[in-house]
């Protein structure tokens, strides 16, 4: 298909498609004449993936570029691609060092031990968690860290469901794309559900007629 | 204290503190001479809150400004402040209209009905969830929506734990600040835990020696 058709089907403007090609996020179309290129359903799918990561996942174009390059490189084993994705998806740029961070790292190591999770405390996700705990303490809300095990108990079945879903995928590109999409959009999904559940829990705790529905949240 | 001391205690540079005052994020210090102002522990606490929302929560300065103005206005009832916070924290700017979004809204309404959650489907969180479901479909990963109830089951106890935590706060400023911090940083906390649990689930499913810990994630 021509670029105009690709734009119509993907909802992405022609100028933006050209920009993504220049930035290496989208492979160029096949040249059918010096001024015309032809695009296929692979381009359409890739464009939709970029938009989802950008609009809903809130990833930067540079993070998306890194993730897509890892997906596209057949020499990279799946777990390396997931590592790249995990690193780029993790928003924390690196936490401020200090006593709060040291304490938080200790707390993460204890949590992993307590729950028997087979993960290194100094892995990217472990460091991200330590960064959050340190930020809570610095903001004067260290008490919120009491909820760590409530959150961990909720994260376990979610992670198992994610993995079951991904396990049903066979092709490598499908598999990796599923993990990336699931990690990024699954996060947005949980976040919206948690806020909905807040409104419900608040309605139950603080009243309103039985059956009355509440806005907000 | 003087601005230099405030900078040292909060870890925020003097230039940035002045910028926050100009932008209305931080109240000005009390003038002790034409060129010198005095700051107190309220300033320090507010600075730490701004940094946490900015660095870990990934909120924009304009979103933080809206939330802080709502917190500071004693005429605003608590639920209005929470509404402002929920709206500004929700990353989605508004989803592309289309058949996917119509279907997704229907799916959200069914979910709320099925679970008996007392929330309007067209509330900000409901709209955010519909946007995520539509984005998953558009990205060709509609299958991920199968996990909706797994995620909802995990969100319920988390929301209850959040509310219990907030319920232990008494003062209005404390209460509102706790909800904002809990919503934003709690999200980052769950996200890091989910990734840790992914690595663990993956180690259990795909092997590695018993007790071997895995990086990545």
């Amino acid at each position: 298909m021509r670029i105009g058709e690709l734009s119509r089907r993907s909802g992405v403007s022609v100028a933006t498609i050209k920009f993504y090609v220049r930035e290496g996020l989208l492979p160029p179309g096949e040249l059918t004449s010096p001024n015309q290129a032809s695009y296929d359903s692979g381009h359409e799918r890739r464009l939709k993936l970029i938009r989802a990561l950008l609009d809903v996942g809130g990833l930067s174009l540079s993070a998306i570029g890194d993730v897509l390059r890892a997906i596209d490189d057949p020499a990279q084993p799946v777990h390396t691609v997931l590592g790249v994705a995990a690193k780029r998806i993790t928003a924390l740029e690196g936490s401020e060092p200090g006593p709060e961070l040291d304490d938080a790292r200790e707390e993460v190591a204890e949590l992993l031990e307590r729950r028997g999770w087979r993960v290194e405390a100094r892995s990217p996700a472990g460091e991200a968690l330590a960064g959050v705990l340190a930020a809570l303490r610095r903001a004067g809300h260290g008490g919120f860290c009491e909820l760590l095990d409530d959150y961990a108990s909720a994260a376990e079945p979610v992670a198992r469901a994610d993995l079951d879903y991904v396990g049903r995928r066979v092709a490598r590109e499908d598999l990796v794309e599923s993990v990336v999409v699931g990690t990024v959009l699954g996060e947005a999904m949980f976040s919206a559900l948690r806020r909905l559940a807040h409104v419900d829990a608040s309605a139950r705790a603080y009243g309103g007629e039985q059956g009355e529905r509440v806005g907000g949240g």
Side-chain angles (χ1 to χ4, degrees), chain A residues 31-152:
Chain A
L31 280 182
T32 51
S33 81
N35 281 318
Q36 206 155 70
S38 165
Y39 299 85
D40 60 25
S41 61
H43 290 96
E44 186 186 339
R45 181 174 165 179
R46 176 56 55 98
L47 272 177
K48 289 177 175 171
L49 178 61
I50 294 171
R51 296 312 300 194
L53 296 176
L54 200 61
D55 296 341
V56 185
L59 262 66
S60 68
L61 281 178
S62 116
I64 294 174
D66 282 359
V67 171
L68 294 179
R69 270 186 295 279
I71 291 183
D72 290 340
D73 179 357
Q76 302 246 24
V78 169
H79 72 88
T80 309
V81 178
L82 300 186
V84 171
K87 256 183 217 161
R88 292 312 313 248
I89 291 166
T90 300
L92 285 172
E93 287 297 312
S95 309
E96 267 174 81
E100 293 93 350
L101 189 60
D102 298 337
D103 288 354
R105 283 181 174 146
E106 187 60 35
E107 204 171 346
V108 171
E110 283 165 15
L111 172 86
L112 296 176
E113 189 66 38
R114 187 162 69 238
R115 306 201 72 95
W117 286 3
R118 296 163 68 181
V119 200
E120 288 288 350
R122 297 298 287 265
S123 60
E127 283 288 285
L129 180 59
V132 173
L133 300 179
L136 280 164
R137 294 248 164 69
R138 285 202 188 97
H141 289 268
F144 198 82
C145 303
E146 287 163 27
L147 305 186
L148 201 48
D149 277 278
D150 293 304
Y151 274 64

